[in-house]
PDB file of all heavy atoms in Angstrom:
ATOM      1  N   LEU A  93       3.894   7.918 -28.756  1.00  0.00           N
ATOM      2  CA  LEU A  93       3.769   7.581 -27.352  1.00  0.00           C
ATOM      3  C   LEU A  93       5.138   7.186 -26.827  1.00  0.00           C
ATOM      4  O   LEU A  93       5.811   6.337 -27.411  1.00  0.00           O
ATOM      5  CB  LEU A  93       2.787   6.421 -27.141  1.00  0.00           C
ATOM      6  CG  LEU A  93       2.640   5.912 -25.728  1.00  0.00           C
ATOM      7  CD1 LEU A  93       1.918   6.927 -24.861  1.00  0.00           C
ATOM      8  CD2 LEU A  93       1.907   4.601 -25.679  1.00  0.00           C
ATOM      9  N   ALA A  94       5.544   7.795 -25.677  1.00  0.00           N
ATOM     10  CA  ALA A  94       6.781   7.399 -25.015  1.00  0.00           C
ATOM     11  C   ALA A  94       6.420   6.580 -23.793  1.00  0.00           C
ATOM     12  O   ALA A  94       5.803   7.086 -22.862  1.00  0.00           O
ATOM     13  CB  ALA A  94       7.583   8.649 -24.625  1.00  0.00           C
ATOM     14  N   ASN A  95       6.765   5.299 -23.783  1.00  0.00           N
ATOM     15  CA  ASN A  95       6.430   4.388 -22.705  1.00  0.00           C
ATOM     16  C   ASN A  95       7.604   4.280 -21.703  1.00  0.00           C
ATOM     17  O   ASN A  95       8.732   4.118 -22.121  1.00  0.00           O
ATOM     18  CB  ASN A  95       6.117   3.005 -23.280  1.00  0.00           C
ATOM     19  CG  ASN A  95       5.813   1.980 -22.234  1.00  0.00           C
ATOM     20  OD1 ASN A  95       6.715   1.326 -21.751  1.00  0.00           O
ATOM     21  ND2 ASN A  95       4.554   1.862 -21.847  1.00  0.00           N
ATOM     22  N   VAL A  96       7.295   4.373 -20.414  1.00  0.00           N
ATOM     23  CA  VAL A  96       8.317   4.439 -19.385  1.00  0.00           C
ATOM     24  C   VAL A  96       9.245   3.225 -19.429  1.00  0.00           C
ATOM     25  O   VAL A  96      10.470   3.371 -19.486  1.00  0.00           O
ATOM     26  CB  VAL A  96       7.691   4.556 -17.974  1.00  0.00           C
ATOM     27  CG1 VAL A  96       8.748   4.351 -16.884  1.00  0.00           C
ATOM     28  CG2 VAL A  96       7.047   5.931 -17.796  1.00  0.00           C
ATOM     29  N   GLU A  97       8.673   2.027 -19.428  1.00  0.00           N
ATOM     30  CA  GLU A  97       9.493   0.805 -19.384  1.00  0.00           C
ATOM     31  C   GLU A  97      10.354   0.657 -20.640  1.00  0.00           C
ATOM     32  O   GLU A  97      11.520   0.311 -20.561  1.00  0.00           O
ATOM     33  CB  GLU A  97       8.614  -0.408 -19.204  1.00  0.00           C
ATOM     34  CG  GLU A  97       7.773  -0.410 -17.924  1.00  0.00           C
ATOM     35  CD  GLU A  97       8.644  -0.372 -16.661  1.00  0.00           C
ATOM     36  OE1 GLU A  97       9.772  -0.931 -16.700  1.00  0.00           O
ATOM     37  OE2 GLU A  97       8.204   0.180 -15.667  1.00  0.00           O
ATOM     38  N   ALA A  98       9.762   0.976 -21.802  1.00  0.00           N
ATOM     39  CA  ALA A  98      10.512   0.866 -23.045  1.00  0.00           C
ATOM     40  C   ALA A  98      11.633   1.869 -23.097  1.00  0.00           C
ATOM     41  O   ALA A  98      12.747   1.580 -23.551  1.00  0.00           O
ATOM     42  CB  ALA A  98       9.571   1.040 -24.235  1.00  0.00           C
ATOM     43  N   LEU A  99      11.373   3.094 -22.621  1.00  0.00           N
ATOM     44  CA  LEU A  99      12.407   4.126 -22.601  1.00  0.00           C
ATOM     45  C   LEU A  99      13.553   3.765 -21.652  1.00  0.00           C
ATOM     46  O   LEU A  99      14.730   4.009 -21.946  1.00  0.00           O
ATOM     47  CB  LEU A  99      11.815   5.469 -22.240  1.00  0.00           C
ATOM     48  CG  LEU A  99      10.901   6.110 -23.266  1.00  0.00           C
ATOM     49  CD1 LEU A  99      10.203   7.332 -22.664  1.00  0.00           C
ATOM     50  CD2 LEU A  99      11.647   6.502 -24.508  1.00  0.00           C
ATOM     51  N   ALA A 100      13.199   3.198 -20.500  1.00  0.00           N
ATOM     52  CA  ALA A 100      14.237   2.801 -19.542  1.00  0.00           C
ATOM     53  C   ALA A 100      15.147   1.758 -20.143  1.00  0.00           C
ATOM     54  O   ALA A 100      16.384   1.821 -19.999  1.00  0.00           O
ATOM     55  CB  ALA A 100      13.557   2.275 -18.263  1.00  0.00           C
ATOM     56  N   ALA A 101      14.573   0.788 -20.862  1.00  0.00           N
ATOM     57  CA  ALA A 101      15.410  -0.242 -21.499  1.00  0.00           C
ATOM     58  C   ALA A 101      16.239   0.365 -22.624  1.00  0.00           C
ATOM     59  O   ALA A 101      17.414   0.015 -22.799  1.00  0.00           O
ATOM     60  CB  ALA A 101      14.521  -1.357 -22.019  1.00  0.00           C
ATOM     61  N   ARG A 102      15.643   1.281 -23.373  1.00  0.00           N
ATOM     62  CA  ARG A 102      16.338   1.847 -24.534  1.00  0.00           C
ATOM     63  C   ARG A 102      17.566   2.650 -24.114  1.00  0.00           C
ATOM     64  O   ARG A 102      18.626   2.593 -24.739  1.00  0.00           O
ATOM     65  CB  ARG A 102      15.386   2.747 -25.299  1.00  0.00           C
ATOM     66  CG  ARG A 102      15.927   3.294 -26.610  1.00  0.00           C
ATOM     67  CD  ARG A 102      14.953   4.234 -27.295  1.00  0.00           C
ATOM     68  NE  ARG A 102      15.403   4.585 -28.621  1.00  0.00           N
ATOM     69  CZ  ARG A 102      14.903   4.125 -29.745  1.00  0.00           C
ATOM     70  NH1 ARG A 102      13.927   3.239 -29.698  1.00  0.00           N
ATOM     71  NH2 ARG A 102      15.356   4.522 -30.926  1.00  0.00           N
ATOM     72  N   PHE A 103      17.434   3.431 -23.013  1.00  0.00           N
ATOM     73  CA  PHE A 103      18.525   4.288 -22.586  1.00  0.00           C
ATOM     74  C   PHE A 103      19.334   3.713 -21.446  1.00  0.00           C
ATOM     75  O   PHE A 103      20.241   4.350 -20.905  1.00  0.00           O
ATOM     76  CB  PHE A 103      17.954   5.672 -22.173  1.00  0.00           C
ATOM     77  CG  PHE A 103      17.346   6.434 -23.321  1.00  0.00           C
ATOM     78  CD1 PHE A 103      15.980   6.556 -23.457  1.00  0.00           C
ATOM     79  CD2 PHE A 103      18.168   6.988 -24.289  1.00  0.00           C
ATOM     80  CE1 PHE A 103      15.437   7.253 -24.518  1.00  0.00           C
ATOM     81  CE2 PHE A 103      17.631   7.686 -25.361  1.00  0.00           C
ATOM     82  CZ  PHE A 103      16.257   7.832 -25.499  1.00  0.00           C
ATOM     83  N   ASP A 104      18.994   2.456 -21.036  1.00  0.00           N
ATOM     84  CA  ASP A 104      19.740   1.742 -19.988  1.00  0.00           C
ATOM     85  C   ASP A 104      19.776   2.559 -18.707  1.00  0.00           C
ATOM     86  O   ASP A 104      20.852   2.732 -18.087  1.00  0.00           O
ATOM     87  CB  ASP A 104      21.147   1.427 -20.470  1.00  0.00           C
ATOM     88  CG  ASP A 104      21.813   0.383 -19.565  1.00  0.00           C
ATOM     89  OD1 ASP A 104      21.105  -0.394 -18.902  1.00  0.00           O
ATOM     90  OD2 ASP A 104      23.086   0.350 -19.539  1.00  0.00           O
ATOM     91  N   VAL A 105      18.625   3.068 -18.290  1.00  0.00           N
ATOM     92  CA  VAL A 105      18.483   3.757 -17.004  1.00  0.00           C
ATOM     93  C   VAL A 105      17.273   3.173 -16.298  1.00  0.00           C
ATOM     94  O   VAL A 105      16.527   2.398 -16.852  1.00  0.00           O
ATOM     95  CB  VAL A 105      18.320   5.281 -17.197  1.00  0.00           C
ATOM     96  CG1 VAL A 105      19.602   5.890 -17.806  1.00  0.00           C
ATOM     97  CG2 VAL A 105      17.090   5.603 -18.049  1.00  0.00           C
ATOM     98  N   SER A 106      17.071   3.594 -15.059  1.00  0.00           N
ATOM     99  CA  SER A 106      15.956   3.050 -14.274  1.00  0.00           C
ATOM    100  C   SER A 106      14.650   3.730 -14.685  1.00  0.00           C
ATOM    101  O   SER A 106      14.651   4.866 -15.174  1.00  0.00           O
ATOM    102  CB  SER A 106      16.209   3.281 -12.795  1.00  0.00           C
ATOM    103  OG  SER A 106      16.123   4.667 -12.504  1.00  0.00           O
ATOM    104  N   PRO A 107      13.496   3.045 -14.479  1.00  0.00           N
ATOM    105  CA  PRO A 107      12.202   3.677 -14.725  1.00  0.00           C
ATOM    106  C   PRO A 107      12.028   4.977 -13.946  1.00  0.00           C
ATOM    107  O   PRO A 107      11.406   5.906 -14.441  1.00  0.00           O
ATOM    108  CB  PRO A 107      11.195   2.616 -14.294  1.00  0.00           C
ATOM    109  CG  PRO A 107      11.912   1.311 -14.537  1.00  0.00           C
ATOM    110  CD  PRO A 107      13.347   1.603 -14.145  1.00  0.00           C
ATOM    111  N   SER A 108      12.574   5.041 -12.729  1.00  0.00           N
ATOM    112  CA  SER A 108      12.422   6.257 -11.941  1.00  0.00           C
ATOM    113  C   SER A 108      13.148   7.436 -12.587  1.00  0.00           C
ATOM    114  O   SER A 108      12.678   8.567 -12.533  1.00  0.00           O
ATOM    115  CB  SER A 108      12.931   6.055 -10.523  1.00  0.00           C
ATOM    116  OG  SER A 108      14.302   5.721 -10.514  1.00  0.00           O
ATOM    117  N   THR A 109      14.282   7.142 -13.230  1.00  0.00           N
ATOM    118  CA  THR A 109      14.994   8.200 -13.954  1.00  0.00           C
ATOM    119  C   THR A 109      14.156   8.697 -15.128  1.00  0.00           C
ATOM    120  O   THR A 109      14.063   9.907 -15.393  1.00  0.00           O
ATOM    121  CB  THR A 109      16.352   7.662 -14.455  1.00  0.00           C
ATOM    122  OG1 THR A 109      17.184   7.357 -13.322  1.00  0.00           O
ATOM    123  CG2 THR A 109      17.067   8.700 -15.319  1.00  0.00           C
ATOM    124  N   ILE A 110      13.547   7.772 -15.873  1.00  0.00           N
ATOM    125  CA  ILE A 110      12.705   8.165 -16.988  1.00  0.00           C
ATOM    126  C   ILE A 110      11.505   8.965 -16.486  1.00  0.00           C
ATOM    127  O   ILE A 110      11.120   9.995 -17.110  1.00  0.00           O
ATOM    128  CB  ILE A 110      12.246   6.924 -17.784  1.00  0.00           C
ATOM    129  CG1 ILE A 110      13.434   6.239 -18.473  1.00  0.00           C
ATOM    130  CG2 ILE A 110      11.137   7.281 -18.790  1.00  0.00           C
ATOM    131  CD1 ILE A 110      14.116   7.123 -19.510  1.00  0.00           C
ATOM    132  N   ARG A 111      10.901   8.540 -15.389  1.00  0.00           N
ATOM    133  CA  ARG A 111       9.755   9.300 -14.860  1.00  0.00           C
ATOM    134  C   ARG A 111      10.174  10.710 -14.475  1.00  0.00           C
ATOM    135  O   ARG A 111       9.417  11.682 -14.688  1.00  0.00           O
ATOM    136  CB  ARG A 111       9.153   8.567 -13.651  1.00  0.00           C
ATOM    137  CG  ARG A 111       8.450   7.257 -14.011  1.00  0.00           C
ATOM    138  CD  ARG A 111       7.695   6.671 -12.845  1.00  0.00           C
ATOM    139  NE  ARG A 111       7.134   5.370 -13.179  1.00  0.00           N
ATOM    140  CZ  ARG A 111       7.751   4.220 -12.903  1.00  0.00           C
ATOM    141  NH1 ARG A 111       8.925   4.203 -12.248  1.00  0.00           N
ATOM    142  NH2 ARG A 111       7.189   3.092 -13.222  1.00  0.00           N
ATOM    143  N   ARG A 112      11.361  10.849 -13.924  1.00  0.00           N
ATOM    144  CA  ARG A 112      11.876  12.189 -13.612  1.00  0.00           C
ATOM    145  C   ARG A 112      12.084  12.995 -14.877  1.00  0.00           C
ATOM    146  O   ARG A 112      11.737  14.197 -14.928  1.00  0.00           O
ATOM    147  CB  ARG A 112      13.166  12.067 -12.810  1.00  0.00           C
ATOM    148  CG  ARG A 112      13.733  13.373 -12.312  1.00  0.00           C
ATOM    149  CD  ARG A 112      14.698  13.184 -11.158  1.00  0.00           C
ATOM    150  NE  ARG A 112      15.773  12.239 -11.521  1.00  0.00           N
ATOM    151  CZ  ARG A 112      15.910  11.026 -11.012  1.00  0.00           C
ATOM    152  NH1 ARG A 112      15.017  10.563 -10.119  1.00  0.00           N
ATOM    153  NH2 ARG A 112      16.915  10.230 -11.374  1.00  0.00           N
ATOM    154  N   ASP A 113      12.641  12.376 -15.921  1.00  0.00           N
ATOM    155  CA  ASP A 113      12.811  13.043 -17.204  1.00  0.00           C
ATOM    156  C   ASP A 113      11.455  13.518 -17.739  1.00  0.00           C
ATOM    157  O   ASP A 113      11.317  14.667 -18.199  1.00  0.00           O
ATOM    158  CB  ASP A 113      13.431  12.089 -18.243  1.00  0.00           C
ATOM    159  CG  ASP A 113      14.886  11.815 -17.977  1.00  0.00           C
ATOM    160  OD1 ASP A 113      15.557  12.592 -17.245  1.00  0.00           O
ATOM    161  OD2 ASP A 113      15.388  10.826 -18.520  1.00  0.00           O
ATOM    162  N   LEU A 114      10.453  12.637 -17.700  1.00  0.00           N
ATOM    163  CA  LEU A 114       9.144  12.989 -18.206  1.00  0.00           C
ATOM    164  C   LEU A 114       8.502  14.115 -17.431  1.00  0.00           C
ATOM    165  O   LEU A 114       7.849  14.967 -18.009  1.00  0.00           O
ATOM    166  CB  LEU A 114       8.220  11.744 -18.217  1.00  0.00           C
ATOM    167  CG  LEU A 114       8.651  10.576 -19.145  1.00  0.00           C
ATOM    168  CD1 LEU A 114       7.622   9.459 -19.051  1.00  0.00           C
ATOM    169  CD2 LEU A 114       8.837  11.014 -20.573  1.00  0.00           C
ATOM    170  N   ALA A 115       8.691  14.069 -16.129  1.00  0.00           N
ATOM    171  CA  ALA A 115       8.138  15.164 -15.290  1.00  0.00           C
ATOM    172  C   ALA A 115       8.735  16.512 -15.668  1.00  0.00           C
ATOM    173  O   ALA A 115       8.035  17.522 -15.764  1.00  0.00           O
ATOM    174  CB  ALA A 115       8.371  14.849 -13.817  1.00  0.00           C
ATOM    175  N   ILE A 116      10.052  16.513 -15.904  1.00  0.00           N
ATOM    176  CA  ILE A 116      10.739  17.776 -16.243  1.00  0.00           C
ATOM    177  C   ILE A 116      10.331  18.207 -17.654  1.00  0.00           C
ATOM    178  O   ILE A 116      10.035  19.405 -17.878  1.00  0.00           O
ATOM    179  CB  ILE A 116      12.272  17.595 -16.134  1.00  0.00           C
ATOM    180  CG1 ILE A 116      12.657  17.440 -14.671  1.00  0.00           C
ATOM    181  CG2 ILE A 116      13.017  18.775 -16.771  1.00  0.00           C
ATOM    182  CD1 ILE A 116      14.074  17.029 -14.434  1.00  0.00           C
ATOM    183  N   LEU A 117      10.288  17.296 -18.582  1.00  0.00           N
ATOM    184  CA  LEU A 117       9.871  17.647 -19.942  1.00  0.00           C
ATOM    185  C   LEU A 117       8.426  18.150 -19.998  1.00  0.00           C
ATOM    186  O   LEU A 117       8.089  19.038 -20.787  1.00  0.00           O
ATOM    187  CB  LEU A 117      10.030  16.434 -20.880  1.00  0.00           C
ATOM    188  CG  LEU A 117      11.487  16.019 -21.129  1.00  0.00           C
ATOM    189  CD1 LEU A 117      11.534  14.664 -21.872  1.00  0.00           C
ATOM    190  CD2 LEU A 117      12.217  17.074 -21.955  1.00  0.00           C
ATOM    191  N   THR A 118       7.565  17.593 -19.133  1.00  0.00           N
ATOM    192  CA  THR A 118       6.188  18.053 -19.049  1.00  0.00           C
ATOM    193  C   THR A 118       6.151  19.470 -18.477  1.00  0.00           C
ATOM    194  O   THR A 118       5.445  20.329 -19.004  1.00  0.00           O
ATOM    195  CB  THR A 118       5.379  17.099 -18.155  1.00  0.00           C
ATOM    196  OG1 THR A 118       5.363  15.802 -18.701  1.00  0.00           O
ATOM    197  CG2 THR A 118       3.915  17.597 -18.037  1.00  0.00           C
ATOM    198  N   ALA A 119       6.917  19.714 -17.425  1.00  0.00           N
ATOM    199  CA  ALA A 119       6.929  21.037 -16.813  1.00  0.00           C
ATOM    200  C   ALA A 119       7.468  22.094 -17.772  1.00  0.00           C
ATOM    201  O   ALA A 119       7.047  23.247 -17.757  1.00  0.00           O
ATOM    202  CB  ALA A 119       7.808  21.017 -15.549  1.00  0.00           C
ATOM    203  N   GLU A 120       8.374  21.673 -18.650  1.00  0.00           N
ATOM    204  CA  GLU A 120       8.942  22.614 -19.654  1.00  0.00           C
ATOM    205  C   GLU A 120       8.054  22.748 -20.892  1.00  0.00           C
ATOM    206  O   GLU A 120       8.372  23.536 -21.780  1.00  0.00           O
ATOM    207  CB  GLU A 120      10.335  22.113 -20.076  1.00  0.00           C
ATOM    208  CG  GLU A 120      11.363  22.203 -18.936  1.00  0.00           C
ATOM    209  CD  GLU A 120      12.708  21.604 -19.314  1.00  0.00           C
ATOM    210  OE1 GLU A 120      12.800  20.964 -20.400  1.00  0.00           O
ATOM    211  OE2 GLU A 120      13.654  21.788 -18.546  1.00  0.00           O
ATOM    212  N   GLY A 121       6.996  21.963 -20.959  1.00  0.00           N
ATOM    213  CA  GLY A 121       6.042  22.098 -22.065  1.00  0.00           C
ATOM    214  C   GLY A 121       6.391  21.333 -23.323  1.00  0.00           C
ATOM    215  O   GLY A 121       5.800  21.568 -24.369  1.00  0.00           O
ATOM    216  N   HIS A 122       7.312  20.375 -23.202  1.00  0.00           N
ATOM    217  CA  HIS A 122       7.714  19.611 -24.403  1.00  0.00           C
ATOM    218  C   HIS A 122       6.777  18.432 -24.700  1.00  0.00           C
ATOM    219  O   HIS A 122       6.633  18.027 -25.850  1.00  0.00           O
ATOM    220  CB  HIS A 122       9.146  19.084 -24.243  1.00  0.00           C
ATOM    221  CG  HIS A 122      10.159  20.159 -24.113  1.00  0.00           C
ATOM    222  ND1 HIS A 122      10.452  21.059 -25.132  1.00  0.00           N
ATOM    223  CD2 HIS A 122      10.987  20.501 -23.100  1.00  0.00           C
ATOM    224  CE1 HIS A 122      11.375  21.900 -24.737  1.00  0.00           C
ATOM    225  NE2 HIS A 122      11.736  21.585 -23.505  1.00  0.00           N
ATOM    226  N   ILE A 123       6.211  17.852 -23.646  1.00  0.00           N
ATOM    227  CA  ILE A 123       5.353  16.671 -23.761  1.00  0.00           C
ATOM    228  C   ILE A 123       4.211  16.795 -22.790  1.00  0.00           C
ATOM    229  O   ILE A 123       4.165  17.688 -21.948  1.00  0.00           O
ATOM    230  CB  ILE A 123       6.114  15.360 -23.477  1.00  0.00           C
ATOM    231  CG1 ILE A 123       6.690  15.387 -22.036  1.00  0.00           C
ATOM    232  CG2 ILE A 123       7.232  15.104 -24.504  1.00  0.00           C
ATOM    233  CD1 ILE A 123       7.329  14.101 -21.608  1.00  0.00           C
ATOM    234  N   ALA A 124       3.228  15.892 -22.929  1.00  0.00           N
ATOM    235  CA  ALA A 124       2.121  15.789 -21.973  1.00  0.00           C
ATOM    236  C   ALA A 124       2.108  14.372 -21.433  1.00  0.00           C
ATOM    237  O   ALA A 124       2.284  13.402 -22.191  1.00  0.00           O
ATOM    238  CB  ALA A 124       0.799  16.125 -22.685  1.00  0.00           C
ATOM    239  N   ARG A 125       1.908  14.220 -20.114  1.00  0.00           N
ATOM    240  CA  ARG A 125       1.911  12.888 -19.516  1.00  0.00           C
ATOM    241  C   ARG A 125       0.664  12.129 -19.872  1.00  0.00           C
ATOM    242  O   ARG A 125      -0.425  12.668 -20.027  1.00  0.00           O
ATOM    243  CB  ARG A 125       2.018  13.016 -17.983  1.00  0.00           C
ATOM    244  CG  ARG A 125       3.321  13.545 -17.461  1.00  0.00           C
ATOM    245  CD  ARG A 125       4.494  12.662 -17.854  1.00  0.00           C
ATOM    246  NE  ARG A 125       4.424  11.313 -17.322  1.00  0.00           N
ATOM    247  CZ  ARG A 125       4.919  10.950 -16.151  1.00  0.00           C
ATOM    248  NH1 ARG A 125       5.521  11.833 -15.374  1.00  0.00           N
ATOM    249  NH2 ARG A 125       4.831   9.715 -15.735  1.00  0.00           N
ATOM    250  N   THR A 126       0.805  10.810 -20.018  1.00  0.00           N
ATOM    251  CA  THR A 126      -0.282   9.887 -20.184  1.00  0.00           C
ATOM    252  C   THR A 126      -0.100   8.750 -19.206  1.00  0.00           C
ATOM    253  O   THR A 126       0.921   8.675 -18.505  1.00  0.00           O
ATOM    254  CB  THR A 126      -0.320   9.303 -21.607  1.00  0.00           C
ATOM    255  OG1 THR A 126       0.813   8.442 -21.787  1.00  0.00           O
ATOM    256  CG2 THR A 126      -0.317  10.375 -22.669  1.00  0.00           C
ATOM    257  N   TYR A 127      -1.084   7.830 -19.142  1.00  0.00           N
ATOM    258  CA  TYR A 127      -0.926   6.652 -18.307  1.00  0.00           C
ATOM    259  C   TYR A 127       0.227   5.823 -18.849  1.00  0.00           C
ATOM    260  O   TYR A 127       0.221   5.363 -19.977  1.00  0.00           O
ATOM    261  CB  TYR A 127      -2.204   5.799 -18.330  1.00  0.00           C
ATOM    262  CG  TYR A 127      -2.115   4.594 -17.437  1.00  0.00           C
ATOM    263  CD1 TYR A 127      -2.442   4.687 -16.095  1.00  0.00           C
ATOM    264  CD2 TYR A 127      -1.729   3.356 -17.962  1.00  0.00           C
ATOM    265  CE1 TYR A 127      -2.351   3.576 -15.290  1.00  0.00           C
ATOM    266  CE2 TYR A 127      -1.665   2.251 -17.153  1.00  0.00           C
ATOM    267  CZ  TYR A 127      -1.971   2.353 -15.809  1.00  0.00           C
ATOM    268  OH  TYR A 127      -1.889   1.257 -14.996  1.00  0.00           O
ATOM    269  N   GLY A 128       1.287   5.671 -18.033  1.00  0.00           N
ATOM    270  CA  GLY A 128       2.412   4.840 -18.402  1.00  0.00           C
ATOM    271  C   GLY A 128       3.475   5.490 -19.259  1.00  0.00           C
ATOM    272  O   GLY A 128       4.440   4.884 -19.627  1.00  0.00           O
ATOM    273  N   GLY A 129       3.309   6.800 -19.598  1.00  0.00           N
ATOM    274  CA  GLY A 129       4.312   7.419 -20.461  1.00  0.00           C
ATOM    275  C   GLY A 129       3.972   8.855 -20.776  1.00  0.00           C
ATOM    276  O   GLY A 129       3.554   9.615 -19.900  1.00  0.00           O
ATOM    277  N   ALA A 130       4.136   9.238 -22.047  1.00  0.00           N
ATOM    278  CA  ALA A 130       3.899  10.634 -22.449  1.00  0.00           C
ATOM    279  C   ALA A 130       3.663  10.695 -23.925  1.00  0.00           C
ATOM    280  O   ALA A 130       4.039   9.817 -24.681  1.00  0.00           O
ATOM    281  CB  ALA A 130       5.094  11.495 -22.044  1.00  0.00           C
ATOM    282  N   ILE A 131       3.046  11.806 -24.389  1.00  0.00           N
ATOM    283  CA  ILE A 131       2.863  12.088 -25.788  1.00  0.00           C
ATOM    284  C   ILE A 131       3.368  13.494 -26.059  1.00  0.00           C
ATOM    285  O   ILE A 131       3.472  14.306 -25.138  1.00  0.00           O
ATOM    286  CB  ILE A 131       1.378  12.011 -26.234  1.00  0.00           C
ATOM    287  CG1 ILE A 131       0.535  12.974 -25.408  1.00  0.00           C
ATOM    288  CG2 ILE A 131       0.859  10.585 -26.126  1.00  0.00           C
ATOM    289  CD1 ILE A 131      -0.923  13.039 -25.870  1.00  0.00           C
ATOM    290  N   PRO A 132       3.714  13.809 -27.314  1.00  0.00           N
ATOM    291  CA  PRO A 132       4.219  15.132 -27.611  1.00  0.00           C
ATOM    292  C   PRO A 132       3.105  16.173 -27.559  1.00  0.00           C
ATOM    293  O   PRO A 132       1.954  15.887 -27.902  1.00  0.00           O
ATOM    294  CB  PRO A 132       4.771  15.002 -29.027  1.00  0.00           C
ATOM    295  CG  PRO A 132       4.004  13.849 -29.601  1.00  0.00           C
ATOM    296  CD  PRO A 132       3.744  12.910 -28.463  1.00  0.00           C
ATOM    297  N   ILE A 133       3.403  17.374 -27.102  1.00  0.00           N
ATOM    298  CA  ILE A 133       2.455  18.482 -27.117  1.00  0.00           C
ATOM    299  C   ILE A 133       2.038  18.745 -28.565  1.00  0.00           C
ATOM    300  O   ILE A 133       2.884  18.804 -29.476  1.00  0.00           O
ATOM    301  CB  ILE A 133       3.064  19.747 -26.514  1.00  0.00           C
ATOM    302  CG1 ILE A 133       3.285  19.548 -24.990  1.00  0.00           C
ATOM    303  CG2 ILE A 133       2.162  20.957 -26.745  1.00  0.00           C
ATOM    304  CD1 ILE A 133       2.026  19.413 -24.195  1.00  0.00           C
ATOM    305  N   GLY A 134       0.737  18.913 -28.765  1.00  0.00           N
ATOM    306  CA  GLY A 134       0.254  19.215 -30.108  1.00  0.00           C
ATOM    307  C   GLY A 134      -0.070  17.998 -30.921  1.00  0.00           C
ATOM    308  O   GLY A 134      -0.668  18.076 -31.980  1.00  0.00           O
ATOM    309  N   ALA A 135       0.332  16.777 -30.460  1.00  0.00           N
ATOM    310  CA  ALA A 135      -0.021  15.574 -31.166  1.00  0.00           C
ATOM    311  C   ALA A 135      -1.458  15.182 -30.848  1.00  0.00           C
ATOM    312  O   ALA A 135      -1.998  15.553 -29.826  1.00  0.00           O
ATOM    313  CB  ALA A 135       0.929  14.430 -30.792  1.00  0.00           C
ATOM    314  N   HIS A 136      -2.063  14.397 -31.713  1.00  0.00           N
ATOM    315  CA  HIS A 136      -3.386  13.840 -31.411  1.00  0.00           C
ATOM    316  C   HIS A 136      -3.215  12.943 -30.206  1.00  0.00           C
ATOM    317  O   HIS A 136      -2.372  12.051 -30.172  1.00  0.00           O
ATOM    318  CB  HIS A 136      -3.898  13.058 -32.612  1.00  0.00           C
ATOM    319  CG  HIS A 136      -5.336  12.753 -32.514  1.00  0.00           C
ATOM    320  ND1 HIS A 136      -5.853  11.871 -31.605  1.00  0.00           N
ATOM    321  CD2 HIS A 136      -6.396  13.197 -33.212  1.00  0.00           C
ATOM    322  CE1 HIS A 136      -7.170  11.778 -31.741  1.00  0.00           C
ATOM    323  NE2 HIS A 136      -7.535  12.580 -32.710  1.00  0.00           N
ATOM    324  N   SER A 137      -4.054  13.147 -29.191  1.00  0.00           N
ATOM    325  CA  SER A 137      -3.835  12.474 -27.922  1.00  0.00           C
ATOM    326  C   SER A 137      -4.368  11.064 -27.883  1.00  0.00           C
ATOM    327  O   SER A 137      -4.208  10.395 -26.888  1.00  0.00           O
ATOM    328  CB  SER A 137      -4.475  13.293 -26.783  1.00  0.00           C
ATOM    329  OG  SER A 137      -5.853  13.545 -27.037  1.00  0.00           O
ATOM    330  N   GLU A 138      -5.041  10.623 -28.955  1.00  0.00           N
ATOM    331  CA  GLU A 138      -5.521   9.246 -28.967  1.00  0.00           C
ATOM    332  C   GLU A 138      -4.408   8.301 -29.437  1.00  0.00           C
ATOM    333  O   GLU A 138      -3.852   8.482 -30.523  1.00  0.00           O
ATOM    334  CB  GLU A 138      -6.724   9.097 -29.886  1.00  0.00           C
ATOM    335  CG  GLU A 138      -7.294   7.689 -29.868  1.00  0.00           C
ATOM    336  CD  GLU A 138      -8.470   7.513 -30.823  1.00  0.00           C
ATOM    337  OE1 GLU A 138      -8.679   8.401 -31.668  1.00  0.00           O
ATOM    338  OE2 GLU A 138      -9.159   6.494 -30.706  1.00  0.00           O
TER     339      GLU A 138
END
């Protein structure tokens, strides 16, 4: 699970930047969005 707030702190960027990253990665098929973050495509979604 990739959590927005944790990722923002880890990479020292704003949550909005992380959300933009997640949106692009989702559109490219690398991850799937979840509430508050994302999971990898093909991973168990629970």
Side-chain angles (χ1 to χ4, degrees):
L93 177 70
N95 177 271
V96 169
E97 300 299 329
L99 290 171
R102 186 183 189 103
F103 294 106
D104 195 25
V105 295
S106 68
S108 62
T109 296
I110 293 297
R111 291 189 186 96
R112 185 161 53 250
D113 289 341
L114 296 182
I116 291 170
L117 291 170
T118 300
E120 293 175 350
H122 297 296
I123 60 174
R125 292 300 298 270
T126 68
Y127 182 85
I131 58 174
I133 292 292
H136 194 291
S137 56
E138 184 182 12

